[in-house]
Amino acid sequence: MAEDSPFTVDADWLQNRLGEPGLTIVDASWYLPAQKRDARAEYDAAHIPGARFLDQDAVSDPDSPLPHTLASPQYFAQYVGAMGISADDIIIVYDGPGFFSAPRAWWMFRVMGVFQVYILDGGFDRWKAAGRPVTAEPTKTAPCVFHADFDAGRVASLADMRRIVGTRESQIADARSAGRFAGTEPEPRAGVRSGHMPGARNVPSSTLAENGELLPKDRLRKVIEDAGIDLSKPVVTSCGSGITAATITLALETLGHTDNRLYDGSWTEWGGLGDTPVVTGKE
């Protein structure tokens, strides 16, 4: 495992263990339209040997009008069980750049009761650039039973957020860019207002990693505290649609902060409603 985070592994660690029984590799890449990358097509063209592709859209709740809503434990278990993933496996997740969508998969597996789940430092882009093994061969898998042990306490609902905004009983850390947080950049989704929840603090996901690797603990702590987050108090993480909020969750957990939840509806839900308070500016 990586020296500074209990939740990451480096490329040497993974390459040395390729093909080991009980080790499951998951490509959890997902991209915004502006990134102009097709995660599934990239996986089909090249992936780490043995990796399975986790479609972040397909594994979401099919009945939710919001993007990337966490699926029910039953749906999640059925989906990943069909991929041949067991809750007893050691699961390594990765994405292209390193820390964009992989933390969301890491968080989902943890919420569903998997605790031997780790993120590949540097992501697939760096793995490939270093000339490490890749293949276009489809990964052969056999379905298995995935036993989900869902921790509902890790997920914040709209009702929770309405209360939190009113009472300030928990801090809100928003992973969107500074421009989207302040309301100076438009939201990428139609019908969603610009700005942020009253009292929220901005911790852009891009500030938590460097060269596809999670920052060392001392630098993570500084970024989070400089944003106005008190690590001795509860935190709810949020973003645009629940994907990059998990990068803050990962940073918090790396620093030993466990009193945190992820607001799954995130800004798409909050900013898309007409009766939720929205503020603009940096504070």
Side-chain angles (χ1 to χ4, degrees):
M1 306 303 160
E3 290 179 13
D4 212 53
S5 172
F7 306 115
T8 63
V9 298
D10 63 30
D12 285 342
W13 185 96
L14 182 56
Q15 186 170 342
N16 289 337
R17 288 163 178 79
L18 290 179
E20 281 191 3
L23 180 76
T24 296
I25 305 170
V26 176
D27 182 335
S29 299
W30 175 88
Y31 300 107
L32 290 163
Q35 291 170 284
K36 294 182 167 52
R37 294 181 67 166
D38 184 327
R40 179 73 209 208
E42 289 187 21
Y43 169 84
D44 289 341
H47 52 265
I48 296 174
R52 301 109 196 267
F53 182 75
L54 180 73
D55 186 326
Q56 298 258 18
D57 293 312
V59 77
S60 301
D61 180 356
D63 299 321
S64 173
L66 298 168
H68 311 124
T69 303
L70 185 68
S72 69
Q74 295 80 11
Y75 185 92
F76 185 88
Q78 183 179 12
Y79 187 94
V80 300
M83 293 173 63
I85 299 174
S86 164
D88 297 324
D89 292 344
I90 295 172
I91 300 172
I92 311 299
V93 296
Y94 71 85
D95 60 30
F99 280 92
F100 184 67
S101 58
R104 170 70 183 193
W106 168 86
W107 176 78
M108 286 194 294
F109 278 115
R110 282 172 58 84
V111 166
M112 295 299 176
V114 177
F115 290 99
Q116 291 192 104
V117 55
Y118 308 94
I119 297 171
L120 174 64
D121 261 335
F124 184 66
D125 293 349
R126 206 161 87 190
W127 176 282
K128 192 176 176 183
R132 295 181 184 272
V134 302
T135 183
E137 288 293 314
T139 299
K140 293 184 174 68
T141 60
C144 67
V145 176
F146 181 96
H147 295 284
D149 184 12
F150 180 52
D151 185 357
R154 290 295 187 173
V155 188
S157 66
L158 175 63
D160 292 331
M161 297 313 295
R162 288 186 189 275
R163 187 184 70 252
I164 286 166
V165 164
T167 64
R168 304 294 169 98
E169 67 195 58
S170 180
Q171 303 165 98
I172 304 168
D174 190 324
R176 291 175 301 149
S177 67
R180 287 174 65 188
F181 180 85
T184 57
E185 290 176 12
E187 284 297 307
R189 294 177 177 87
V192 177
R193 292 172 291 163
S194 296
H196 58 269
M197 288 174 262
R201 299 293 181 180
N202 192 203
V203 187
S205 58
S206 60
T207 63
L208 300 172
E210 191 172 79
N211 300 320
E213 292 191 17
L214 193 65
L215 294 179
K217 285 182 184 177
D218 57 338
R219 293 177 62 192
L220 276 182
R221 186 180 302 277
K222 186 174 190 319
V223 168
I224 290 171
E225 290 180 344
D226 285 355
I229 298 292
D230 184 340
L231 287 164
S232 69
K233 296 177 180 176
V235 179
V236 176
T237 64
S238 181
C239 60
S241 67
I243 296 279
T244 59
T247 59
I248 305 179
T249 306
L250 174 69
L252 292 172
E253 293 280 340
T254 295
L255 293 170
H257 184 288
T258 57
D259 190 2
N260 61 75
R261 290 185 282 173
L262 188 149
Y263 172 30
D264 202 35
S266 281
W267 192 252
T268 302
E269 181 173 52
W270 189 272
L273 295 170
D275 67 340
T276 45
V278 170
V279 293
T280 56
K282 292 182 179 179
E283 290 296 324

